[in-house]
Amino acid sequence: MSQIDDPNSQEMEGSSALKKAAGTGGKVVGKKLVKAAVKKGAAVAGSTLGWPVIVGVAAAVLLVMAGAIFFLFVILSSTGGEGNADFEEGFYGGEISEFGANEIPANYIAIYKAAEKKYGVPWNLLAAHHRVETVFSTVHMVSPVGAVGHMQFMPLTWIGWSYPVGNDVGNASIPKEILTDPSMIKKYGGYGVDANGDGKADPWNMEDAIFSAAHYLAKNGATEGRIREAVFAYNHADWYVEEIMGYADRYVEGYVEVGGRSSGGKTGTAVVDVGNKYIGRSQYVFGGGRNQTDIAMGRFDCSSFVHWAFKEVGVDLGPLGSTSTETLKNKGKPVSKGEMKPGDLVFFDTYKIDGHVGIYMGNGQFIGAQTNTGVAIADMKKGYWKEKFNGRVNRI
């Protein structure tokens, strides 16, 4: 978690822009109507028709104003009013998938589900945060910017941003007896929770940390279906949201997407489907995709994307730093192109023999990191890729 300021003081840009537009529109319409009414009233007052005409004009003006107000109401209603049209109803929990069962430590599941029961935040979303933040409490339990514990809370987010010391990103030197004191957290408006009832709200305690993450996500919209908004509040970065959503999606049966924003259809082949989140959100970089920053930003070349996709479903294709089309063409078992199945590696002669690799999807299509498009689905049945496909197919 790396808030740059107090998340409670923030408002969605779409919401504030909409309110500003509506307010400005209302003022402009109101001023024009009043001005027109005064001008018209003055003109009619000097006419020979007298008060009946004035009353009639006033009634017409009131009718127009009512119509304008109704129009603005319709605009606000149709756009969501609070800027949340982009956030669909989330998929709440579900049965754990095979991928989830193989990756998530079994003893944590009960804690996630208990937190879901209390706060209404999907257990798989909590598992995804735990995975991304500390790889289930196995790495970087103190971040470079000062986030601490199993779920990486900034100290000021834990105790409350009204605490008198700390920097703009939420780091502060706070004695542990104060940081973990529920009465201090209540006083300063923090999110730390004493989940296990031992009298302390401790970011280094597993139950406290997970329940606190659920508390934070709930307060930021997750229980209302505004999943992505809540995740973005946890860490203000689009790549972070996509990574969290990707894991949450794959931790439940059927790979049902949490928050409902997918770039492509589901094929039922996990190694194919994981790449959907990068379609339209990535770029091709020769030699890219070989560090976590590149991966988070969607910067891949063809072989690093293939390595990443298989790694996501639990298959290690060797050292990431040395992965290339040359190493990948020696992985798995060669099969004939007539026997291709979804998930097979397919190779193309581009700038050299076996210069490009992708993952076969079925129906003559493959997904891969292409030079001009980044991660995209391409057609092998016609055009460039039909011409360049060399018939090499490997089954991992």
Side-chain angles (χ1 to χ4, degrees):
M1 177 183 289
S2 57
Q3 290 89 349
I4 57 174
D5 52 16
D6 183 357
N8 291 318
S9 68
Q10 296 190 17
E11 183 177 28
M12 291 296 292
E13 182 176 324
S15 175
S16 59
L18 181 60
K19 289 175 182 176
K20 182 177 180 181
T24 303
K27 290 176 182 177
V28 170
V29 171
K31 287 180 179 178
K32 286 183 177 179
L33 289 173
V34 170
K35 185 176 181 180
V38 170
K39 184 176 180 180
K40 187 71 174 177
V44 174
S47 73
T48 58
L49 295 177
W51 287 108
V53 175
I54 296 174
V55 173
V57 170
V61 169
L62 289 174
L63 184 61
V64 172
M65 290 182 69
I69 293 169
F70 177 77
F71 177 71
L72 289 172
F73 175 78
V74 169
I75 291 175
L76 288 170
S77 299
S78 63
T79 54
E82 293 297 325
N84 296 325
D86 238 3
F87 303 104
E88 301 178 10
E89 288 296 321
F91 181 78
Y92 281 67
E95 294 300 318
I96 191 169
S97 66
E98 182 179 356
F99 176 80
N102 288 333
E103 177 165 287
I104 304 170
N107 55 316
Y108 296 159
I109 302 294
I111 304 175
Y112 302 144
K113 291 190 174 182
E116 176 187 47
K117 184 176 181 180
K118 180 174 178 61
Y119 292 102
V121 175
W123 74 264
N124 49 316
L125 186 66
L126 296 171
H129 276 279
H130 198 182
R131 168 63 174 82
V132 172
E133 292 293 349
T134 60
V135 192
F136 301 111
S137 303
T138 62
V139 298
H140 55 76
M141 297 288 281
V142 178
S143 81
V145 296
V148 298
H150 301 282
M151 301 298 276
Q152 291 292 277
F153 271 85
M154 297 304 296
L156 289 185
T157 305
W158 186 268
I159 197 170
W161 281 77
S162 62
Y163 189 77
V165 300
N167 63 19
D168 289 343
V169 298
N171 196 10
S173 180
I174 305 174
K176 188 173 182 180
E177 61 270 19
I178 294 176
L179 181 69
T180 61
D181 185 341
S183 66
M184 292 292 101
I185 293 170
K186 182 177 180 180
K187 176 181 178 180
Y188 295 114
Y191 290 94
V193 171
D194 175 17
N196 63 2
D198 66 353
K200 297 179 181 179
D202 187 354
W204 298 95
N205 176 274
M206 184 68 70
E207 289 182 75
D208 290 356
I210 291 172
F211 272 64
S212 297
H215 180 208
Y216 183 88
L217 291 165
K219 289 292 187 180
N220 282 278
T223 55
E224 300 166 6
R226 295 182 284 119
I227 301 290
R228 287 175 177 270
E229 182 180 336
V231 176
F232 186 82
Y234 207 97
N235 188 342
H236 305 325
D238 290 335
W239 67 261
Y240 180 85
V241 176
E242 296 304 323
E243 191 164 0
I244 292 291
M245 303 304 279
Y247 279 112
D249 184 18
R250 293 192 295 280
Y251 286 159
V252 293
E253 284 287 356
Y255 301 106
V256 179
E257 185 179 14
V258 174
R261 185 187 290 175
S262 176
S263 301
K266 301 296 185 182
T267 68
T269 302
V271 72
V272 171
D273 293 338
V274 294
N276 276 340
K277 74 174 186 175
Y278 282 118
I279 295 176
R281 302 184 179 96
S282 61
Q283 62 177 312
Y284 181 93
V285 177
F286 188 78
R290 287 169 175 79
N291 58 66
Q292 291 306 309
T293 299
D294 274 2
I295 291 171
M297 298 300 292
R299 298 191 290 253
F300 294 101
D301 62 16
C302 63
S303 53
S304 66
F305 171 74
V306 167
H307 185 284
W308 169 82
F310 276 90
K311 187 74 171 179
E312 288 292 284
V313 298
V315 178
D316 189 349
L317 295 180
L320 175 59
S322 60
T323 294
S324 67
T325 55
E326 292 300 313
T327 64
L328 292 177
K329 75 180 186 182
N330 295 310
K331 298 290 183 181
K333 178 182 73 172
V335 298
S336 70
K337 62 181 181 180
E339 297 176 324
M340 284 190 298
K341 293 181 179 180
D344 290 343
L345 299 187
V346 287
F347 292 81
F348 304 84
D349 293 343
T350 51
Y351 72 100
K352 67 172 186 174
I353 295 173
D354 297 318
H356 190 73
V357 63
I359 305 171
Y360 188 62
M361 297 179 62
N363 298 318
Q365 295 181 316
F366 74 96
I367 187 170
Q370 274 68 264
T371 304
N372 295 326
T373 61
V375 176
I377 295 169
D379 194 341
M380 300 166 56
K381 302 189 300 293
K382 59 184 179 182
Y384 179 83
W385 294 112
K386 179 180 179 180
E387 178 186 338
K388 297 299 182 181
F389 178 47
N390 63 18
R392 185 190 297 278
V393 182
N394 286 10
R395 184 162 298 155
I396 302 301

